[in-house]
Amino acid sequence: MARRRAAKKAADEEDFDLAIGITPQAGSETITARKAGGLVDLKLCISPRMQKPAIALRNMAKALNLALKMDFLETELDGVYKVARVREGAVRILHKEYFGLGDGMSASLGRTVRSFQLTLRGPDAASPEGEEWIEQNGGGALSGVLNLIGRKLNLLREFEDKVPLYVEQTLDRLEAKRTVTDWHREEWTIETTTVGLDVIIRPVEESAEG
């Protein structure tokens, strides 16, 4: 009897390790418990001093994409930003309202037009707080323009003012989960674009510190 119980226990443990998982969509590979643990324990080095900057940028983009797309990490960036990518020596996190506009002069024009449309929708429509306010109060072009003036004159706090802190918190949580290693805030500058609310993360240049 004891031998039978031991065999059953071993079989149960093997099933738990290998069989539990989710299939996000038809035809995709099942993510087993073992593979999900591997995603957490990637240990991607994101220090541009300890690693080649190009590799550190790539690792950071990979980790941020996991944070934005996977359910294992809840952040303030969820629902606002779509994807992180490496472009021109920086990691760029793309805002959902401007996602897919591309690069270059035509993209800049498209972002300006989209920003104007959002302003006419209501106060700070590209932020979660703005979306909630518009849903409750109906928004409007006048309130959107007045809010824009107040934000640009620094009379009102903008969502974009809080985004760098949200990115820091996200990277702190990724490091706590061992998805990344060697995260040091002083090695990076984090800012948002003037138009479009994309996040730009760049390594701090050595000459700028001295």
Side-chain angles (χ1 to χ4, degrees), residues 100-199:
L101 291 178
D103 302 293
M105 291 298 297
S106 60
S108 298
L109 178 60
R111 289 172 183 275
T112 301
V113 172
R114 183 58 181 154
S115 179
F116 183 70
Q117 291 173 338
L118 291 169
T119 296
L120 296 181
R121 183 188 297 175
D124 207 7
S127 73
E129 295 89 346
E131 286 185 348
E132 183 177 357
W133 191 94
I134 292 170
E135 183 177 349
Q136 294 176 354
N137 299 279
L142 179 59
S143 59
V145 171
L146 291 176
N147 180 269
L148 175 65
I149 294 173
R151 287 186 284 118
K152 294 310 176 184
L153 292 176
N154 289 325
L155 300 176
L156 299 174
R157 189 177 186 187
E158 300 180 76
F159 169 71
E160 63 188 271
D161 294 333
K162 297 179 282 185
V163 167
L165 178 60
Y166 294 155
V167 173
E168 290 181 41
Q169 291 173 344
T170 297
L171 289 165
D172 286 341
R173 294 170 188 174
L174 286 169
E175 187 172 45
K177 284 183 172 290
R178 302 183 304 278
T179 305
V180 302
T181 64
D182 306 302
W183 153 239
H184 306 292
R185 176 64 179 89
E186 68 276 7
E187 293 181 352
W188 301 92
T189 62
I190 305 174
E191 57 189 3
T192 56
T193 55
T194 303
V195 178
L197 286 181
D198 288 350
V199 184

Side-chain angles (χ1 to χ4, degrees), residues 33-58:
R34 179 174 293 174
K35 288 182 180 178
L39 290 176
V40 173
D41 292 320
L42 288 174
K43 297 181 180 177
L44 299 169
C45 177
I46 59 172
S47 170
R49 295 174 182 168
M50 300 178 64
Q51 186 65 269
K52 291 182 179 179
I55 296 177
L57 287 167
R58 185 181 65 194

Side-chain angles (χ1 to χ4, degrees), residues 89-103:
V91 173
R92 189 175 189 128
I93 312 178
L94 305 180
H95 192 283
K96 65 178 182 178
E97 294 288 354
Y98 303 89
F99 181 68
L101 291 178
D103 302 293

Side-chain angles (χ1 to χ4, degrees), residues 9 20 27 56 74 102 145 187:
K9 181 178 180 182
I20 291 180
E74 182 179 354
V145 171
E187 293 181 352

